[in-house]
Amino acid sequence: MADYQSEILEYLARFELASVEDLSRYLKVSPSTIRRHLAQLQDRGLIVRTHGGATLPRPIRYDPQFDNRASRQAEAKHLIALAARSLVSPNQVIGISGGTTCTEFSRLIRGVKNLTVVTNAVNVAMELRGAENMRVLLTGGLLNQNSYELIGNLVTETLKNVHLDIAFLGVSGIDLAFGFSMSDESEAVAGRAFMNSASRTVILADHTKIGKTTFARLCAINEVHLLITDEGITSQQLASLKKTGLKVWVVTPRDEFMRKNIHCEGI
């Protein structure tokens, strides 16, 4: 039963919306079986039933400023989040920072079994509310009203005491000379704390961040294990980033249908 429900969540993570008929064909079970599982998933708060199907919920009503940021490059952010999702396996411990792309990513990992998520973003923790067999650790800290992120010494102190398999971070700028950057120094401090606790660091950023320098430096380009971005990146930008030794995964809409089978070598 749990496997069927995990498969339903995986399907919704990839395609956002599904009909009973789609899921019945995908799982090779009867429509009545699908409806029963959808009812149970809705009772747990993991999906929202629609006319003839289901979609993933949005448990938070975001302020207009956040929604406006999320709507920019929305398709690219979804593809980047899907790619990041394929790097996550059961029994891992992962870190997730705030930001619109990381928020999209958090919605897609609800079906991963026995996952531990450490985050400094209140909204990310809320997006994961109700996920079965998942532990969510929210750091302490002072709330940044603009980003839903907790900042300050309590974030750093919390992260000193945990080990992460992978830290997934969002950034606002990527520049060869200045490195990865964020718009707020306190968020950059929190990002470095995530990196210090993690075996690997993965940056989730659409192509509009490339070539930009924002206020606070997170780290040098070569301190990150993988950048996941979209096909808006130019060939010159891609070549320059790769010269630093950074692995870059450029996702495209054509990848979506084989997402579960994609793995990035060396990550």
Side-chain angles (χ1 to χ4, degrees):
M1 179 183 296
D3 287 341
Y4 281 149
Q5 293 182 7
S6 294
E7 288 290 331
I8 290 170
L9 291 173
E10 290 279 1
Y11 190 97
L12 289 172
R14 285 191 287 160
F15 302 109
E16 299 185 77
L17 180 69
S19 68
V20 170
E21 289 73 18
D22 290 337
L23 292 168
S24 177
R25 286 192 296 270
Y26 179 66
L27 294 176
K28 297 181 174 59
V29 296
S30 69
S32 61
T33 298
I34 294 297
R35 291 188 186 94
R36 184 171 69 253
H37 287 301
L38 291 180
Q40 292 170 358
L41 286 167
Q42 181 169 256
D43 288 343
R44 292 165 53 196
L46 295 178
I47 65 162
V48 174
R49 296 291 298 273
T50 63
H51 180 69
T55 188
L56 293 177
R58 296 196 66 184
I60 302 175
R61 179 173 292 178
Y62 288 97
D63 64 67
Q65 185 180 22
F66 189 94
D67 272 336
N68 286 339
R69 293 201 305 273
S71 67
R72 299 171 196 156
Q73 304 297 321
E75 181 181 357
K77 291 175 181 178
H78 182 64
L79 287 171
I80 291 166
L82 280 167
R85 165 64 185 84
S86 74
L87 301 177
V88 179
S89 302
N91 304 309
Q92 283 183 324
V93 181
I94 66 170
I96 308 177
S97 74
T100 55
T101 308
C102 284
T103 299
E104 179 70 13
F105 167 61
S106 70
R107 296 181 184 124
L108 306 185
I109 62 173
R110 292 173 176 146
V112 182
K113 296 178 181 178
N114 302 320
L115 188 67
T116 298
V117 177
V118 182
T119 184
N120 69 322
V122 175
N123 66 313
V124 167
M126 289 300 296
E127 290 284 357
L128 297 172
R129 179 181 61 83
E132 192 173 60
N133 298 322
M134 181 180 293
R135 295 190 301 173
V136 180
L137 171 62
L138 185 63
T139 70
L142 179 68
L143 180 64
N144 182 329
Q145 301 285 354
N146 295 322
S147 66
Y148 300 102
E149 290 178 89
L150 298 173
I151 54 176
N153 291 336
L154 286 174
V155 178
T156 305
E157 289 302 313
T158 301
L159 291 169
K160 279 181 181 178
N161 295 305
V162 300
H163 173 264
L164 310 172
D165 295 305
I166 310 176
F168 294 93
L169 307 178
V171 297
S172 51
I174 303 172
D175 177 78
L176 284 174
F178 193 66
F180 294 98
S181 58
M182 297 180 171
S183 57
D184 186 285
E185 168 61 21
S186 58
E187 293 176 3
V189 170
R192 287 192 290 272
F194 273 110
M195 294 179 67
N196 290 336
S197 296
S199 296
R200 295 171 287 170
T201 298
V202 177
I203 299 292
L204 312 183
D206 68 78
H207 74 276
T208 63
K209 310 298 194 306
I210 301 171
K212 291 178 62 177
T213 301
T214 53
F215 178 69
R217 188 173 188 263
L218 171 67
C219 66
I221 295 293
N222 61 7
E223 292 181 74
V224 165
H225 296 88
L226 173 67
L227 165 66
I228 306 180
T229 190
D230 64 280
E231 61 184 345
I233 186 174
T234 68
S235 57
Q236 182 178 358
Q237 288 172 331
L238 180 59
S240 297
L241 289 169
K242 284 186 172 181
K243 279 183 181 179
T244 69
L246 174 69
K247 292 184 174 66
V248 183
W249 183 353
V250 180
V251 296
T252 75
R254 295 177 294 282
D255 295 333
E256 184 171 355
F257 296 98
M258 45 185 191
R259 179 71 58 215
K260 290 174 72 175
N261 299 317
I262 289 178
H263 297 282
C264 188
E265 292 184 6
I267 298 307

